[in-house]
Amino acid sequence: MSNTNSQEIAQTIAQQLGGIRKLSMMVGAKNFVALESGLTFKLGKGAKNGITHVTVKLEADDTYTVNFQRVWGHKVTEKGSFPGAYNDQLVSLFESTTGFYLSF
């Protein structure tokens, strides 16, 4: 997969979550990194269950796998993994799992 395609996938995922600016302002998201077929970013403080990072990956069947982790030093603890999510489910899945809202 080309770097350009990876960037496009990451930008599309960010837009489906409301956009990088909204993620930054509403939930303190930062350190956005485009993956080969997805996006990962760090959340601001205060998410449920100590969640600090979110990774969204596009799968071959056009669904997403969304992983929520707590990263503390070198220790990564999985706080939730949701395969098979459709694009219109990303916001509600994010909001219900983190306790952060992406809309007013």
Side-chain angles (χ1 to χ4, degrees), residues 35-71:
L35 305 173
E36 184 175 336
S37 61
L39 174 70
T40 188
F41 55 92
K42 184 177 187 323
L43 293 177
K45 294 180 181 180
K48 288 192 322 190
N49 300 318
I51 295 169
T52 60
H53 290 76
V54 179
T55 302
V56 184
K57 290 186 180 177
L58 177 63
E59 303 297 344
D61 64 355
D62 240 7
T63 64
Y64 295 97
T65 297
V66 185
N67 293 301
F68 298 91
Q69 304 97 12
R70 174 182 165 83
V71 178

Side-chain angles (χ1 to χ4, degrees), residues 19-23 35-36 54-55 58 60 62 65 72 77-78 80 83 85 89 92-94 96:
I20 288 177
R21 182 179 171 146
K22 189 176 209 177
L23 283 165
L35 305 173
E36 184 175 336
V54 179
T55 302
L58 177 63
D62 240 7
T65 297
W72 188 256
T77 306
E78 190 73 34
Q89 297 172 315
S92 61
L93 181 60
F94 177 91
S96 64

Side-chain angles (χ1 to χ4, degrees), residues 5 18 27 37 81 84 86 96:
N5 197 25
V27 302
S37 61
S81 183
Y86 291 100
S96 64

Side-chain angles (χ1 to χ4, degrees), residues 85-103:
Y86 291 100
N87 65 335
D88 61 349
Q89 297 172 315
L90 291 178
V91 170
S92 61
L93 181 60
F94 177 91
E95 290 179 341
S96 64
T97 306
T98 64
F100 285 151
Y101 293 96
L102 298 173
S103 56

